[in-house]
Amino acid sequence: ITASDVMDPVGAAARLDQSLASAIETLSHAPDEGIPVLDERGRLAGELTSKEILQLGMPRYMDLLSNPEMLEAFE
């Protein structure tokens, strides 16, 4: 058995020089919670996840909550 036997193929990716708005658009159509980010040579530079995008607009203390689902009660 090899890695290719169990992996999911990459359907979409972002580039390091891509605007965040464009990368979010790509992420919004991805089947997973994250997309790979590739450098100018097509090599993996990292991953962009929906969690990271959400954290951009959330105060740092949100990370301290053990169960943020309770916030839904305040919506």
Side-chain angles (χ1 to χ4, degrees), residues 3-63:
S4 66
D5 294 326
V6 295
M7 68 173 228
D8 291 327
V10 175
R15 298 178 319 275
L16 284 174
D17 63 347
Q18 189 172 349
S19 72
L20 185 56
S22 177
I24 290 171
E25 179 69 21
T26 301
L27 177 61
S28 72
H29 297 291
D32 297 318
E33 293 293 319
I35 56 173
V37 179
L38 308 176
D39 68 11
E40 62 280 347
R41 297 172 87 183
R43 295 181 299 194
L44 182 64
E47 181 182 33
L48 179 67
T49 67
S50 54
K51 179 181 177 185
E52 292 161 337
I53 300 301
L54 291 172
Q55 285 178 334
L56 287 174
M58 300 294 250
R60 288 280 179 213
Y61 64 80
M62 293 296 291
D63 290 336

Side-chain angles (χ1 to χ4, degrees), residues 64-71:
L64 301 176
L65 292 174
S66 61
N67 184 5
E69 289 181 10
M70 65 82 133
L71 294 177

